[in-house]
């Protein structure tokens, strides 16, 4: 009974670039922005998340009516990556409309590692501070997966060593008899 469903008369691209960012205080404010907007893609960051972004990011805060929005192109999707290209005429934000989860994605911008942040309350964004054509890749790699793989490999090696030690002890015991 607490689920609200909203329908949009237009569809936003899966990924896009925008030169303007707006802010909001609470999720209800974001919903109002979406419902009362012009139905074009936009980027919104919750006020509490601004402290995590560089100071230059604040320059993107201007009236949404004047925003530039450019859809991404050249998508390449696999089971754990989303890659695409965007053209940015000015500094701004690249938005990917896939679920945000902190620390569980590796992001590359033109083959260089970069960071991402929460945008539009549920999606991922990348700040770009100068114009250019950007190739973006988001790769799902859970934060603790590397540790889990190392622990699993260590356990496997320990198991092999235990089997070898057991075999060696049994062999010595049989030779002593």
């Amino acid at each position: 009974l607490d689920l609200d469903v909203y329908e949009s008369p237009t569809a936003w691209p899966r990924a896009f670039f925008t030169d303007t960012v707006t802010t909001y205080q609470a999720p209800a404010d974001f919903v109002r922005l979406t419902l009362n907007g012009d139905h074009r893609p936009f980027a919104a960051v919750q006020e509490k998340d601004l402290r995590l972004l560089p100071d230059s990011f604040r320059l993107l805060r201007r009236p949404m009516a004047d925003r530039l929005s450019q859809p991404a192109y050249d998508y390449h999707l696999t089971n754990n990556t989303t890659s695409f290209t965007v053209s940015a005429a000015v500094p701004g934000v690249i938005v990917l409309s896939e679920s945000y989860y902190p620390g569980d994605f590796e992001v590359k911008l033109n083959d260089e590692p970069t960071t991402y942040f929460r945008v539009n309350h549920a999606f991922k964004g990348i700040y770009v501070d100068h114009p250019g054509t950007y190739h973006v890749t988001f790769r799902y790699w859970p934060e603790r997966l590397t540790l889990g793989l190392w622990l699993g490999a260590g356990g496997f090696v320990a198991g092999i060593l235990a089997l070898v030690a057991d075999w060696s002890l049994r062999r010595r015991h049989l030779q002593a008899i």
Side-chain angles (χ1 to χ4, degrees), residues 133-146:
T133 299
Y134 295 98
H135 181 71
V136 180
T137 300
F138 279 88
R139 179 175 167 236
Y140 180 65
W141 190 265
E143 189 173 27
R144 292 187 174 85
L145 181 60
T146 302

Side-chain angles (χ1 to χ4, degrees), residues 113-174:
T114 192
T115 58
Y116 64 101
F117 57 94
R118 186 172 64 139
V119 65
N120 292 350
H121 208 71
F123 301 136
K124 296 183 277 274
I126 302 171
Y127 172 62
V128 292
D129 60 1
H130 59 277
T133 299
Y134 295 98
H135 181 71
V136 180
T137 300
F138 279 88
R139 179 175 167 236
Y140 180 65
W141 190 265
E143 189 173 27
R144 292 187 174 85
L145 181 60
T146 302
L147 174 63
L149 291 173
W150 279 111
L151 290 173
F156 178 76
V157 169
I160 295 296
L161 291 174
L163 288 173
V164 168
D166 181 59
W167 175 78
S168 178
L169 288 173
R170 287 177 192 260
R171 190 170 158 227
R172 282 188 203 159
H173 181 70
L174 289 175

Side-chain angles (χ1 to χ4, degrees), residues 4-23:
D4 292 325
V5 177
Y6 301 100
E7 182 179 354
S8 175
T10 60
W12 288 8
R14 180 184 197 107
F16 61 91
F17 166 83
T18 185
D19 67 341
T20 303
V21 173
T22 191
T23 58

